[in-house]
Amino acid sequence: MRAIWGFIFLVATCILNPISAHRHVQSFIIDLDLPPEQRYSHIVPHFNDTVWGFWNQYFAHDLLLRDALYSISAKRGGEPKEMQAEIKGLAEVSALPFQFVKGIQMLYELQTMMVPIENITFPNHHAIDDIPEEFAGLSRIPWRGPGCTGIIAKNSAENGTVYHARNLDFSPFSVMTKLVYNGVFTKNGTELFRSQMIAGYTMVITGARFGPNGYAIERNTRYTDHRGGNKEMLQNLMSGRPLNGWTLRKILETETEYERAVDAIEKTPYVSTEYAIVSGVRKGIIMSKNPNNVAFKQILGRRNPEEPDDYIIITNFDFFFDDVREFFDPTGGGGFGRPSRRQAAQTTLNATLVAGNPLTPDLLFQTLNEKYVIADTVFQAIINIEKGIWNTSQPDI
């Protein structure tokens, strides 16, 4: 079975869709038996021109942004020993400044301050938070997203097996789409887990640990839900609390069972708010994480707000708490009277169920590529833990 998984992974078979063409996601082995400084040495040359272009365009000449990023990174101190060594190796092989490589490891946490709402003011709205003046330079961060759509669905045509569909939306698209790859993390020559990666970033974004009771993990940005949330997140960053993605990577390395992984995600403190979308063998859960607890759970097979029993879905907003910001999100061309990404996806999913048809992997892939759902999408995946499926692709937008 592992040979079949490896074949599926290396081929990265895409389900053809008439909406847009798709291309293969290249893959690399990341050998955890190597010294941490050497693990990415064979990968960096494939992406270094793009990463250097990103540095030169956005950071090299922007002192305000660079100082804000470096200041937070310096106040954090060193990362966990293994992670710090991996960052050192990345900096040495790429010849980029160490402070920059270390600083961009915080991209998911810092992104929680970048609510994708343009030219809209919500006076005194409890969920609209400001960036503290001391770190105002962070408003110049060039990455937007990760936007993201995650769906966990039961396919009645295959006896209720569970598929996990994922869009990763990340801009500047012209840069981020060139930095995506799949990493196969191995130990003693055997795969532990696999992860969709962004070059220069040591942590998982979309990962899977296959096995009889294995699981897949997707991370989606979740914006703070109260005033002062940004300040709390920055305090967590500067306290040295392990970054969310490193926490998830260590869970993937050490936990083989779905329930133990879900329990670890729920109980482990995070730096920032974030959605954890976890699928397993005929089961799934979406946890809306606060730094110190879980604000809400959507469990597959149970009645959830605005969702039938057959699927659960999340983008980047707490729709179950009536987060008004979802309807002013321009990501994907929606909002402002047009469907949000979630609404557009649910239109297709619900119409399929009403017609008496199953939520097949083809249908889920179609949903990921629907108008208003697809955005600055740099990575897509259809995953099934029970069947050992890891189908990944990149849309040609």
Side-chain angles (χ1 to χ4, degrees):
M1 182 62 75
R2 186 164 298 279
I4 294 174
W5 293 334
F7 174 77
I8 291 171
F9 173 68
L10 292 173
V11 173
T13 307
C14 299
I15 305 167
L16 295 180
N17 186 283
I19 296 173
S20 59
H22 290 74
R23 63 187 184 276
H24 170 78
V25 180
Q26 59 188 319
S27 60
F28 299 92
I29 298 293
I30 300 173
D31 186 354
L32 296 176
D33 292 317
L34 288 174
E37 295 88 346
Q38 299 176 20
R39 293 173 183 169
Y40 298 91
S41 297
H42 61 300
I43 300 175
V44 170
H46 294 267
F47 303 99
N48 212 31
D49 287 348
T50 301
V51 176
W52 264 95
F54 182 63
W55 158 259
N56 284 325
Q57 181 173 354
Y58 296 106
F59 288 88
H61 309 293
D62 191 334
L63 186 63
L64 187 64
L65 170 59
R66 203 167 67 243
D67 282 355
L69 185 68
Y70 288 6
S71 173
I72 293 175
S73 180
K75 289 176 180 178
R76 263 186 74 72
E79 300 294 348
K81 183 178 178 181
E82 180 185 8
M83 180 181 172
Q84 186 85 354
E86 288 187 353
I87 295 169
K88 181 174 180 287
L90 284 167
E92 288 175 351
V93 175
S94 67
L96 286 161
F98 172 81
Q99 302 100 308
F100 172 68
V101 180
K102 183 172 179 285
I104 61 172
Q105 305 305 312
M106 303 183 292
L107 68 85
Y108 247 88
E109 289 75 14
L110 293 175
Q111 166 57 24
T112 61
M113 297 190 294
M114 310 300 169
V115 183
I117 297 176
E118 300 171 354
N119 304 317
I120 296 292
T121 301
F122 298 91
N124 301 318
H125 192 281
H126 70 91
I128 304 302
D129 201 10
D130 298 319
I131 298 175
E133 187 174 350
E134 177 185 359
F135 302 106
L138 294 174
S139 64
R140 303 162 69 91
I141 283 175
W143 56 80
R144 290 294 183 270
C148 310
T149 298
I151 305 165
I152 300 174
K154 295 184 290 187
N155 180 10
S156 60
E158 295 182 71
N159 249 0
T161 191
V162 166
Y163 284 91
H164 187 153
R166 195 280 202 267
N167 272 358
L168 172 66
D169 309 328
F170 214 169
S171 64
F173 175 82
S174 61
V175 175
M176 296 302 175
T177 192
K178 297 175 183 177
L179 297 178
V180 173
Y181 69 94
N182 283 317
V184 181
F185 288 77
T186 64
K187 191 82 173 173
N188 299 320
T190 301
E191 177 185 327
L192 285 184
F193 67 94
R194 61 190 65 177
S195 173
Q196 172 257 319
M197 307 286 285
I198 294 289
Y201 187 70
T202 67
M203 289 163 281
V204 300
I205 299 177
T206 311
R209 178 142 188 172
F210 287 102
N213 192 27
Y215 54 95
I217 295 175
E218 167 189 346
R219 303 170 62 194
N220 285 13
T221 296
R222 178 176 181 248
Y223 304 103
T224 182
D225 61 1
H226 64 281
R227 288 187 180 275
N230 287 341
K231 183 177 181 181
E232 292 167 9
M233 182 276 295
L234 290 166
Q235 288 172 340
N236 288 335
L237 270 179
M238 291 184 290
S239 75
R241 181 179 288 192
L243 297 172
N244 302 356
W246 189 256
T247 292
L248 289 174
R249 179 173 146 181
K250 302 316 285 186
I251 289 171
L252 279 162
E253 286 183 27
T254 58
E255 300 295 352
T256 61
E257 305 289 313
Y258 170 91
E259 287 78 12
R260 288 181 61 87
V262 168
D263 187 62
I265 294 169
E266 179 175 356
K267 292 179 178 177
T268 304
Y270 271 25
V271 168
S272 68
T273 50
E274 190 168 294
Y275 296 106
I277 301 95
V278 188
S279 64
V281 177
R282 303 185 180 234
K283 50 199 167 190
I285 186 170
I286 299 174
M287 290 176 279
S288 302
K289 284 274 290 180
N290 290 327
N292 297 314
N293 56 43
V294 174
F296 194 78
K297 296 178 184 178
Q298 298 158 259
I299 300 174
L300 185 65
R302 296 187 189 176
R303 180 63 63 176
N304 295 291
E306 299 185 43
E307 297 166 322
D309 295 347
D310 301 81
Y311 71 84
I312 48 178
I313 184 172
I314 201 70
T315 55
N316 304 100
F317 301 94
D318 293 346
F319 68 92
F320 36 80
F321 292 151
D322 300 317
D323 187 349
V324 70
R325 294 173 295 182
E326 177 182 16
F327 305 109
F328 297 91
D329 171 20
T331 309
F336 299 89
R338 296 179 293 272
S340 67
R341 283 174 286 126
R342 175 186 61 85
Q343 289 175 318
Q346 288 196 269
T347 296
T348 297
L349 297 171
N350 292 344
T352 300
L353 293 172
V354 168
N357 295 320
L359 300 180
T360 65
D362 294 55
L363 184 281
L364 292 174
F365 195 75
Q366 174 190 327
T367 302
L368 292 180
N369 289 281
E370 293 282 11
K371 183 178 180 181
Y372 300 126
V373 180
I374 195 166
D376 289 331
T377 305
V378 301
F379 174 85
Q380 296 180 311
I382 299 290
I383 306 166
N384 184 306
I385 294 297
E386 182 178 10
K387 295 179 177 291
I389 294 173
W390 172 269
N391 284 348
T392 64
S393 60
Q394 290 188 269
D396 286 325
I397 298 176

